[in-house]
């Protein structure tokens, strides 16, 4: 890089191209098992924004991958780069051809520990996505990645950034462990507190206790039905949280001219069908809203705490999914939901159970809030690490 490109940087910093300081590993193994390699990593094993490789496959089970990686090298998912899949290897193995194996050219110029930090910056991902080709499965290439320019800090600043990010990462792992433990405790608490047999509670079908309905979708061909003031819940928005807003809204004309149903606040929603794990998920309406035909809405009842209903059905996710019928796409229907039985304890006992579950849920929410704050702190530090210019 010329002095002209460097003149706006702080002393000791300089602009470089990614390929000038990073090498693409070409190490290969045509017979990983014979070479003593035990593990393989595919794109499915890399998690977005998580530098740890937490799962892998066994080479002994059969694999066609030949790209070899070693501990300390960086794995970057070149296919669908927008998924932000980057990881640091903690063991040796082979990986998919859709993963680049990267390493520092000279540790005196670029600390190996700073390489994954650079690869996780928004600027790097924007460059990778912007240089990807292909419609269904876009891929970037090494030549394009090698042209990425960034501001490289001097070694002492690199070391400071690495130490800061390392301490933040340690905190993130502690919070992840705490969240997992809180999640386990919440599930155990729900299991005990909502166990009808354990508590001596009788059970009744939902349809005998509550008003239950599904909704509908106003015609997309009628412009007067859409972009109004009435929230409209899609199945994908039913995802174990309180729904306070929706991606789409319909008009009062759309409500009158379709099977969409207006549901009161505190209605408990169940996804009747949808892609992947969506079917059987539970949500709570925090607002008055309409629902589509793939949602069942259980209206609030004066004899029931809506959170008792929400927590109970959330804990019965697998039981709800197991009722689904259909060969190509198993679905739930309104009759199934109406026939599903729930406990009917006195309202005061419901409130006691909900309060106990809430205390654990609030602790879990606080841990999640701290994780989000920590992740944002690390994100800002990453961005500053390669863009520290004098304004």
């Amino acid at each position: 890089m010329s002095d002209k490109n460097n003149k706006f940087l702080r002393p000791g910093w300089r602009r470089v191209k990614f390929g000038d300081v990073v090498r693409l590993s070409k190490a290969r193994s045509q017979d990983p098992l014979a070479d003593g390699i035990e593990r393989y990593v595919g794109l499915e094993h890399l998690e977005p924004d998580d530098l740890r490789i937490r799962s892998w496959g066994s080479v002994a089970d059969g694999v066609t991958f030949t790209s070899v990686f070693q501990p300390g090298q960086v794995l970057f998912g070149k296919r669908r780069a927008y998924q932000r899949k980057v990881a640091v290897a903690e063991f040796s193995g082979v990986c998919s051809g859709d993963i680049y194996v990267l390493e520092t050219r000279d540790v005196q110029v670029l600390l190996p520990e700073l390489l994954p930090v650079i690869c996780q910056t928004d600027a790097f991902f924007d460059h990778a996505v912007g240089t990807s080709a292909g419609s269904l499965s876009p891929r970037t290439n090494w030549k394009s990645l090698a042209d990425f320019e960034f501001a490289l800090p001097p070694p002492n600043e690199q070391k400071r950034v690495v130490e800061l990010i390392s301490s933040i990462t340690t905190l993130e792992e502690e919070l992840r462990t705490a969240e997992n433990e809180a999640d386990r405790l919440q599930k155990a608490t729900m299991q005990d507190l909502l166990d009808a047999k354990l508590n001596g509670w009788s059970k009744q079908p939902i349809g005998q206790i509550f008003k239950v309905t599904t909704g509908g979708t106003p015609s997309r061909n009628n412009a007067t039905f859409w972009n109004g003031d009435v929230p409209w819940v899609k199945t994908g928005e039913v995802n174990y949280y309180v729904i306070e807003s929706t991606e789409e809204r319909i008009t009062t004309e759309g409500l009158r001219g379709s099977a969409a149903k207006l549901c009161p606040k505190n209605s408990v929603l169940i996804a009747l069908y949808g892609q992947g794990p969506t079917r059987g998920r539970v949500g709570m309406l925090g607002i008055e809203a309409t629902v589509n035909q793939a949602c069942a809405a259980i209206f609030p009842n004066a004899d029931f705490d809506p959170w008792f209903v929400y927590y109970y059905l959330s804990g019965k996710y697998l039981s709800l999914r197991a009722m689904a019928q259909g060969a190509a796409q198993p679905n739930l229907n309104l009759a199934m939901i109406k026939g599903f039985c729930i406990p009917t304890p006195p309202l005061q006992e419901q409130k006691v159970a909900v309060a106990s579950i809430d205390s654990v849920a609030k602790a879990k929410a606080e841990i999640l809030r701290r994780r989000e704050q920590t992740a944002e702190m690390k994100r800002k530090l990453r961005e500053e690490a390669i863009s520290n210019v004098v304004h």
Side-chain angles (χ1 to χ4, degrees):
M1 297 292 114
S2 68
D3 291 339
K4 181 179 179 181
N5 289 328
N6 293 323
K7 70 178 183 178
F8 295 110
L9 298 176
R10 297 180 187 278
W13 289 62
R14 60 192 179 96
R15 293 200 69 80
V16 298
K17 285 189 175 183
F18 191 72
D20 293 338
V21 293
V22 177
R23 178 188 297 113
L24 175 64
S25 174
K26 298 293 182 66
R28 299 289 184 269
S29 172
Q30 298 306 317
D31 192 342
L33 192 60
D35 290 338
I37 297 174
E38 299 179 353
R39 307 177 191 180
Y40 73 82
V41 172
L43 278 176
E44 70 275 14
H45 298 122
L46 304 184
E47 295 296 327
D49 293 316
D50 186 359
L51 290 178
R52 291 282 298 276
I53 302 175
R54 302 178 189 273
S55 64
W56 51 83
S58 173
V59 169
D61 294 335
V63 67
T64 58
F65 300 159
T66 60
S67 296
V68 176
F69 62 85
Q70 301 294 341
Q73 290 181 317
V74 174
L75 307 187
F76 175 80
K78 67 175 182 178
R79 179 163 65 94
R80 298 193 178 109
Y82 56 81
Q83 294 181 334
R84 303 177 69 96
K85 291 189 173 185
V86 181
V88 179
E90 296 178 343
F91 52 84
S92 59
V94 288
C95 63
S96 163
D98 283 324
I99 297 175
Y100 279 142
V101 180
L102 308 175
E103 60 187 2
T104 298
R105 285 187 178 276
D106 185 345
V107 298
Q108 302 300 318
V109 176
L110 173 63
L111 291 180
E113 297 84 358
L114 189 66
L115 175 54
V117 174
I118 296 169
C119 291
Q120 280 195 310
T121 60
D122 291 343
F124 186 77
F125 276 117
D126 288 345
H127 179 85
V129 172
T131 57
S132 294
S135 54
L136 295 178
S137 189
R139 291 172 171 82
T140 187
N141 59 69
W142 170 244
K143 183 179 179 181
S144 297
L145 289 181
D147 283 338
F148 172 68
E149 292 187 13
F150 65 98
L152 180 67
N156 62 327
E157 179 65 14
Q158 292 183 40
K159 184 178 180 181
R160 185 188 72 85
V161 170
V162 166
E163 288 175 348
L164 281 173
I165 288 184
S166 177
S167 64
I168 294 174
T169 300
T170 298
L171 176 58
E172 278 186 321
E173 285 298 313
E174 292 173 350
L175 289 172
R176 179 191 289 269
T177 300
E179 184 180 5
N180 290 339
E181 179 60 23
D183 187 56
R184 185 199 64 77
L185 179 59
Q186 183 180 9
K187 289 177 180 176
T189 303
M190 289 171 62
Q191 183 95 19
D192 292 342
L193 291 173
L194 303 181
D195 190 310
K197 185 178 294 185
L198 184 66
N199 291 289
W201 296 332
S202 60
K203 298 175 75 173
Q204 283 185 262
I206 287 175
Q208 293 182 15
I209 307 170
F210 300 98
K211 177 181 177 180
V212 189
T213 186
T214 55
T217 302
S219 171
R220 296 283 185 179
N221 295 324
N222 192 328
T224 66
F225 285 179
W226 293 92
N227 301 316
D229 298 322
V230 184
W232 184 73
V233 180
K234 295 181 292 188
T235 321
E237 293 172 314
V238 180
N239 195 13
Y240 296 119
Y241 59 86
V242 179
I243 300 169
E244 298 284 2
S245 62
T246 59
E247 182 181 1
E248 295 186 275
R249 303 171 77 89
I250 64 175
T251 63
T252 52
E253 290 85 354
L255 178 59
R256 288 194 299 264
S258 73
K261 297 291 193 305
L262 190 61
C263 306
K265 179 180 178 179
N266 292 331
S267 294
V268 177
L269 307 184
I270 301 175
L272 298 178
Y273 50 90
Q275 295 296 317
T278 300
R279 184 183 71 253
R281 282 179 173 171
V282 179
M284 170 78 79
L285 273 184
I287 54 174
E288 185 180 62
T290 56
V291 297
N292 74 2
Q293 64 277 10
C295 294
I298 302 171
F299 284 27
N301 181 310
D303 295 326
F304 277 81
D305 186 320
W307 285 102
F308 180 86
V309 181
Y310 170 85
Y311 282 135
Y312 183 79
L313 293 176
S314 295
K316 295 298 180 180
Y317 170 71
L318 294 179
S319 298
L320 289 167
R321 284 181 65 84
M323 295 192 305
Q325 296 179 357
Q329 176 66 55
N331 295 324
L332 297 169
N333 58 46
L334 192 61
M336 294 173 183
I337 302 304
K338 287 183 176 181
F340 194 82
C341 292
I342 66 169
T344 58
L347 184 59
Q348 188 55 40
E349 291 185 35
Q350 296 175 37
K351 291 185 178 297
V352 169
V354 167
S356 297
I357 297 170
D358 274 349
S359 63
V360 180
K362 287 177 181 176
K364 181 180 172 182
E366 175 60 21
I367 293 170
L368 180 59
R369 185 187 67 81
R370 290 189 62 193
R371 275 192 66 189
E372 290 173 345
Q373 288 180 334
T374 304
E376 178 61 16
M377 187 189 313
K378 186 160 75 170
R379 188 195 68 79
K380 288 182 177 179
L381 186 58
R382 284 198 305 256
E383 302 307 315
E384 291 173 359
I386 64 167
S387 61
N388 200 348
V389 299
V390 178
H391 295 287

